[in-house]
Amino acid sequence: QVKLVESGGGLVQTGGSLRLSCAASGTVSSINAMGWYRQVPDKERELVAVLSSGGSANYADSVKGRFTVYGDNAENTVDLQMNSLKPEDTAVYYCYSRLNWGSPYWGQGTLVAVSA
């Protein structure tokens, strides 16, 4: 099992920045990907940015050029730097990890609210 704890959410104005952090504990040696998803009411949870253990990053088209995902393998953390925030970025952001046999784990979620 893996436990994921997020921090860094909050309220920010359009054009502002936030940095989300996630720390993993538990069976961290089995993790082969970590990153961030987000979800709004009546929508499916969507990928924002995921970093694979090999170092490649996958971003949603809507955040490319604005968000950057960073991983620290030594400390089992993954951060999401969010710049040029827009109201449509408002969502609950969930830290995500995937074990090498495919099992997903999720953090509790942290709210990011971007005011117009």
Side-chain angles (χ1 to χ4, degrees), residues 27-68:
T27 318
V28 294
S29 62
S30 297
I31 296 174
N32 68 4
M34 289 188 67
W36 296 89
Y37 283 66
R38 66 187 181 188
Q39 189 168 25
V40 299
D42 301 321
K43 300 286 188 179
E44 294 185 352
R45 191 171 297 182
E46 66 173 354
L47 181 148
V48 178
V50 171
L51 184 66
S52 298
S53 60
S56 62
N58 185 24
Y59 293 93
D61 288 343
S62 60
V63 307
K64 287 180 179 177
R66 300 188 298 120
F67 292 9
T68 306

Side-chain angles (χ1 to χ4, degrees), residues 31-110:
I31 296 174
N32 68 4
M34 289 188 67
W36 296 89
Y37 283 66
R38 66 187 181 188
Q39 189 168 25
V40 299
D42 301 321
K43 300 286 188 179
E44 294 185 352
R45 191 171 297 182
E46 66 173 354
L47 181 148
V48 178
V50 171
L51 184 66
S52 298
S53 60
S56 62
N58 185 24
Y59 293 93
D61 288 343
S62 60
V63 307
K64 287 180 179 177
R66 300 188 298 120
F67 292 9
T68 306
V69 62
Y70 300 91
D72 186 332
N73 290 331
E75 298 188 6
N76 302 303
T77 60
V78 61
D79 286 6
L80 183 69
Q81 178 65 46
M82 304 184 293
N83 298 325
S84 302
L85 283 161
K86 305 174 181 179
E88 51 262 46
D89 295 318
T90 296
V92 176
Y93 284 69
Y94 294 90
C95 185
Y96 162 84
S97 70
R98 183 181 68 232
L99 304 189
N100 56 20
W101 53 88
S103 298
Y105 286 87
W106 302 96
Q108 81 284 356
T110 186

